[in-house]
Amino acid sequence: MQVDLVVRAGSLVDGSGSPAFDGDLAVDAGRVVAVGDVGDARGRDEIDARGCVVCPGFVNVLSHAYFSLQHDPRGLSDLHQGVTTQIFGEGVSLGPVTGAMTEGMIELGPSAEGTRRSWPRLRAFLEQLEARGVGQNVASFVGADNLRMSVAGLDDRRLDADDLAGACALLEQELADGALGVGSALIYPPGSYADTDELIAYAHVLARHDALYISHLRNEGDRLLEGVEELLDIARATGARAEIYHLKTAGRENWHKMPAVLDRIEAARAAGVEVTADIYPYIAGSTLLSAAIPPPFHLGGPKALRQRLGDPESRARIVDAVREGGDWESLWRMSGGAEGIVILSNHPDIGVPTGSTIADVAKARGDADPITTMLDIVLAEPHADAAYFIGNEDNIRLAFAREWVSVGSDSDAPAVDERFADHPVHPRAYGTFARVLGRYARAEGIVSLEEAVRRMTGLPATTLRLRDRGVLRVGAHADVAIFAPDDFVDTATYANPASYAVGMRHVLVNGTPALRDGRPTGALAGRALRRDVS
């Protein structure tokens, strides 16, 4: 029998968590046709996998590569880690953009020339990526912000019955088109304007479609337990499945809460609530520097925020609010202030080199108050990105020890070449999946290699309802990662974040080699995926 490709003599890890076993893998027409014993199959192409693990390609549960894949469809930072599927939709998605939500309302950040910010329907965005050629498979949640903004724009108000009916009707259409569910981000306006009843309305729709509600909790710090309970209440009230984005305890004074959080989730699961979570293996989170400014000052959108920053009286109120805190998640305080916030992008025109803390910049400028320094940077560069050192690695380890926790980078997928020279980047863009396998599985033994692979393949594929993905079995799509288990390691650091992981030898996307002998082939075989509705 002749097939397209045979992978020879690898250590097969099938994505189920079962022990590895030695054997071959045969691929034809983009599908796995034999696992272990391939009989007399001969490949038109063959890969020698001796000394390597052969496993399903990794599923990046939380990706922000919707712009970078338009700019460079190879997705190299993730490809070098074995990622074969990118999942979008934390809070905002590039579709649907309709009704009171206009393209001008989505100020997600600077996008490179030739990229597009919005589509009338989410499916149209994903299918355009596929039609143009994309290095990994792509799928997306509908942003909860999109649903709210379709009827209320940027207004901070409770949605009435007609609003909710309109937003839920839009969600029904998107789910019928294969969207994975709804993704919320409840610390950022306008997502923070949604009350629990609004989210419950969406979740009722999700439950009817067996789709997922996934959320950046309303609070990951002082009110973390309340944030977890809100998500659990939504799932209990509706029967919808739910997941927590990047589970963490933010701020030193909250680090002790992780055991209680995990116990609450375990108790809910034991009571029949279908709830899961994901993590990234870094203590620093990353988002816009402007996110350290309290939500009330964002009302009206980025343009209104800039106007407030330019007005002396409004600016004085912002400084006081940042310093004093309030009924919101204070990234400034949870990071320990100016020393714990690092600028991730180079802004030479305003004297802010990459890797500087706010404290560094304030000292260089002679500013007496580093909060003023931070506001000056935001006013001059509204899309400045920052790393916030808010987490605790022992808590990441505690979370990852639970069998229901998967992995997402919470980042885009850039390259190290010149087109991304000024691109702000956190090391998690280049190192998340390699770090999980190299540190948590190989070095520390928190989980076995087979279990670590399951967390990044079979578990998310099942949770997201991606049929025939995340496993090595006959009939599955041939998304495959082949790596040297003792050599696969992340090299990205905060000082030098744009550095590819090493040790990934080959990657197949839908049966086509996208990485061969550690080098990108340029193949763009990714597909726009749908949620399984069978």
Side-chain angles (χ1 to χ4, degrees):
M1 180 178 66
Q2 190 173 55
V3 297
D4 289 338
L5 177 66
V6 175
V7 179
R8 297 286 185 188
S11 177
L12 300 176
V13 177
D14 66 8
S16 71
S18 298
F21 59 98
D22 294 338
D24 301 337
L25 184 76
V27 174
D28 198 57
R31 299 263 187 168
V32 175
V33 295
V35 181
D37 180 3
V38 303
D40 61 355
R42 293 292 180 268
R44 299 178 185 89
D45 187 10
E46 299 211 356
I47 290 175
D48 182 352
R50 283 176 294 182
C52 290
V53 168
V54 180
C55 70
F58 303 139
V59 178
N60 189 345
V61 173
L62 176 49
S63 169
H64 292 292
Y66 31 77
F67 288 148
S68 62
L69 286 176
Q70 293 182 61
H71 191 35
D72 179 355
R74 298 172 298 171
L76 292 186
S77 65
D78 273 2
L79 180 63
H80 279 279
Q81 298 180 75
V83 171
T84 56
T85 299
Q86 307 274 8
I87 306 298
F88 312 137
E90 184 194 9
V92 176
S93 53
L94 298 197
V97 176
T98 185
M101 184 183 191
T102 68
E103 185 168 349
M105 292 177 183
I106 311 178
E107 295 201 22
L108 298 175
S111 55
E113 183 179 354
T115 63
R116 180 173 164 183
R117 292 174 176 272
S118 67
W119 276 258
R121 297 297 298 269
L122 178 56
R123 189 72 199 167
F125 160 58
L126 298 174
E127 289 180 345
Q128 182 164 329
L129 283 181
E130 178 181 327
R132 292 176 56 182
V134 64
Q136 290 93 34
N137 302 308
V138 290
S140 184
F141 292 90
V142 177
D145 289 14
N146 297 54
L147 299 174
R148 157 169 273 273
M149 293 170 72
S150 72
V151 294
L154 291 172
D155 293 347
D156 180 4
R157 64 175 176 83
R158 182 184 177 91
L159 300 190
D160 62 26
D162 289 341
D163 292 330
L164 285 174
C168 288
L170 181 59
L171 176 57
E172 290 271 10
Q173 295 173 11
E174 293 295 333
L175 293 174
D177 275 350
L180 303 177
V182 168
S184 67
L186 301 178
I187 74 164
Y188 306 112
S192 58
Y193 305 154
D195 60 17
T196 305
D197 288 342
E198 177 181 330
L199 301 172
I200 285 174
Y202 302 152
H204 275 299
V205 179
L206 297 173
R208 293 197 296 272
H209 291 265
D210 189 31
L212 185 67
Y213 173 68
I214 187 166
S215 181
H216 180 151
L217 298 175
R218 201 175 295 274
N219 196 291
E220 296 176 326
D222 295 348
R223 300 183 66 187
L224 170 63
L225 294 175
E226 293 89 335
V228 171
E229 281 301 320
E230 180 183 36
L231 178 130
L232 295 176
D233 285 345
I234 291 167
R236 293 186 189 108
T238 63
R241 298 180 297 110
E243 175 153 328
I244 298 172
Y245 272 134
H246 45 56
L247 179 61
K248 67 172 78 72
T249 50
R252 180 178 296 275
E253 64 273 25
N254 298 305
W255 290 349
H256 69 283
K257 296 177 180 178
M258 182 60 84
V261 167
L262 297 173
D263 287 347
R264 289 193 186 195
I265 296 172
E266 292 281 13
R269 287 172 56 85
V273 179
E274 293 189 64
V275 59
T276 50
D278 54 75
I279 57 100
Y280 53 76
Y282 295 88
I283 62 171
S286 178
T287 187
L288 294 176
L289 184 60
S290 62
I293 298 172
F297 300 101
H298 292 264
L299 187 61
K303 182 177 180 181
L305 173 62
R306 291 193 293 273
Q307 290 172 343
R308 294 183 181 108
L309 290 173
D311 174 70
E313 291 186 6
S314 295
R315 175 183 274 248
R317 289 194 292 272
I318 294 172
V319 169
D320 290 343
V322 171
R323 179 175 291 113
E324 295 168 8
D327 190 22
W328 54 74
E329 188 169 81
S330 173
L331 289 172
W332 176 269
R333 186 171 54 78
M334 290 189 304
S335 302
E339 294 283 357
I341 303 176
V342 175
I343 304 299
L344 294 179
S345 44
N346 189 29
H347 302 287
D349 52 330
I350 53 175
V352 184
T354 302
S356 303
T357 67
I358 298 298
D360 293 334
V361 182
K363 182 178 180 180
R365 289 165 37 126
D367 291 344
D369 186 352
I371 296 177
T372 296
T373 305
M374 180 181 74
L375 300 186
D376 285 346
I377 297 170
V378 173
L379 183 59
E381 180 44 71
H383 299 303
D385 281 85
Y388 296 87
F389 283 79
I390 58 178
N392 173 271
E393 190 153 20
D394 286 338
N395 280 337
I396 299 171
R397 295 182 178 102
L398 279 176
F400 194 63
R402 306 297 173 118
E403 52 89 20
W404 38 267
V405 175
S406 59
V407 178
S409 71
D410 197 8
S411 185
D412 54 6
V416 299
D417 59 30
E418 186 62 29
R419 78 189 82 180
F420 291 98
D422 296 324
H423 185 73
V425 65
H426 185 294
R428 65 192 184 191
Y430 287 85
T432 291
F433 297 87
R435 189 177 179 88
V436 164
L437 280 167
R439 174 174 292 203
Y440 294 163
R442 184 178 68 237
E444 299 183 5
I446 295 171
V447 296
S448 67
L449 182 147
E450 293 91 342
E451 178 64 8
V453 167
R454 185 187 73 85
R455 304 295 190 79
M456 301 189 293
T457 58
L459 173 61
T462 299
T463 302
L464 298 170
R465 301 299 191 253
L466 298 177
R467 187 175 184 178
D468 293 334
R469 304 279 175 181
V471 290
L472 295 184
R473 66 170 178 237
V474 174
H477 296 281
D479 297 332
V480 182
I482 303 169
F483 61 91
D486 294 334
D487 299 334
F488 188 39
V489 65
D490 60 304
T491 65
T493 65
Y494 291 102
N496 181 32
S499 180
Y500 294 127
V502 297
M504 184 61 60
R505 299 289 188 254
H506 315 277
V507 177
L508 310 181
V509 178
N510 295 304
T512 298
L515 190 79
R516 191 72 181 256
D517 297 317
R519 297 180 179 179
T521 67
L524 302 174
R527 297 176 186 165
L529 305 186
R530 296 176 182 268
R531 186 187 79 262
D532 181 21
V533 295
S534 62

